[in-house]
Amino acid sequence: MSTMSVDHELCRDHRYVQLDVLTRDLRHELDSLNHQLRQLVNDSFDEFVSLGKSINLDTADAEDGPDLAAIRHELTHYATTVKQNQQSIAQSAQTARAVVAHRRRLIAIKTSAKMGLIINDLVATFDKLLADPHPPTPQLIGVYLSIKSTYAQLEPQSPVAQVLRSKVASVTQEFTGFLATLPPAERVDVTNAITHAESTSTPPTQTPETAAQS
């Protein structure tokens, strides 16, 4: 039926056929054609898929043209490059943060070491002054207060603070013993001077170690 004119087919075979019979015959013919089409697809499915792909590609090439295809290729390449650059930037930022954190730790360690050396020198000076038969009270007080204030700036759990803790405690005991040897009036004056100095000194809001880490 597909190779002949529809009008000719109807005129030749169905000229004097009733309408319901004609409708039934046409539906039967349609079912037969659908069955043949499905059978054709099932028998040659791979060829059918390949044909569809080739038609799509040919249509896309015909519609896009060489210029649009080149632009599409460039955009794809650009998107890939941008993604690679983003990954590289993220890795660089992570490396930079690690370097900064490491530098801060080194600064904190260096600061603690310097303060430890200062305290160690002050303790040596304190011991030397205290060994004098007549220790100069003002100088001894100044060195003692310097030791206390410098030690207070160390992070309590830092290795330097832990090493110097016993030395500072020993200095405190020795200074307390020195105060006991003073006449009562002088002892009161020295105690008041120390209390006043400690109350007027502003404690640091951040130790050098925590400041370096912030």
Side-chain angles (χ1 to χ4, degrees):
M1 180 177 180
S2 59
T3 60
M4 302 177 62
S5 170
V6 176
D7 293 336
H8 178 74
E9 179 72 14
L10 292 176
C11 181
R12 182 174 63 85
D13 295 334
H14 302 84
R15 185 173 183 179
Y16 302 105
V17 177
Q18 295 182 358
L19 183 59
D20 56 344
V21 176
L22 176 61
T23 302
R24 185 181 66 251
D25 291 344
L26 290 176
R27 286 179 177 175
H28 176 73
E29 186 70 19
L30 178 61
D31 292 340
S32 177
L33 289 175
N34 288 334
H35 175 73
Q36 293 178 14
L37 179 60
R38 286 194 298 270
Q39 189 66 33
L40 177 63
V41 172
N42 291 333
D43 293 342
S44 305
F45 182 75
D46 293 337
E47 290 80 358
F48 181 78
V49 172
S50 299
L51 177 62
K53 289 183 177 180
S54 64
I55 291 175
N56 290 335
L57 291 176
D58 293 341
T59 303
D61 291 340
E63 293 178 352
D64 293 348
D67 294 338
L68 187 56
I71 293 175
R72 180 179 298 173
H73 176 73
E74 290 295 332
L75 289 176
T76 303
H77 177 70
Y78 177 75
T80 303
T81 303
V82 169
K83 185 176 181 180
Q84 293 175 349
N85 290 338
Q86 289 176 341
Q87 294 175 350
S88 177
I89 291 173
Q91 293 176 355
S92 299
Q94 183 177 2
T95 302
R97 286 193 294 267
V99 170
V100 170
H102 182 65
R103 181 175 179 273
R104 287 175 176 172
R105 287 194 295 269
L106 290 179
I107 292 175
I109 294 173
K110 183 178 179 180
T111 303
S112 295
K114 286 184 176 180
M115 295 178 68
L117 292 175
I118 292 173
I119 293 174
N120 192 65
D121 291 341
L122 289 172
V123 170
T125 302
F126 179 86
D127 292 339
K128 184 178 180 180
L129 292 174
L130 196 62
D132 193 303
H134 302 285
T137 303
Q139 295 182 21
L140 199 62
I141 294 174
V143 173
Y144 171 76
L145 291 176
S146 296
I147 293 173
K148 297 284 287 186
S149 62
T150 305
Y151 182 78
Q153 297 180 54
L154 289 173
E155 186 70 26
Q157 301 302 323
S158 66
V160 175
Q162 294 178 6
V163 170
L164 294 175
R165 183 173 296 137
S166 59
K167 282 190 176 184
V168 175
S170 177
V171 166
T172 302
Q173 292 179 356
E174 291 176 355
F175 187 75
T176 302
F178 166 74
L179 291 179
T181 63
L182 296 177
E186 185 178 358
R187 183 167 61 249
V188 171
D189 292 339
V190 171
T191 302
N192 291 336
I194 293 174
T195 303
H196 177 72
E198 292 178 342
S199 62
T200 55
S201 62
T202 303
T205 56
Q206 280 187 318
T207 66
E209 294 176 352
T210 56
Q213 295 173 358
S214 61

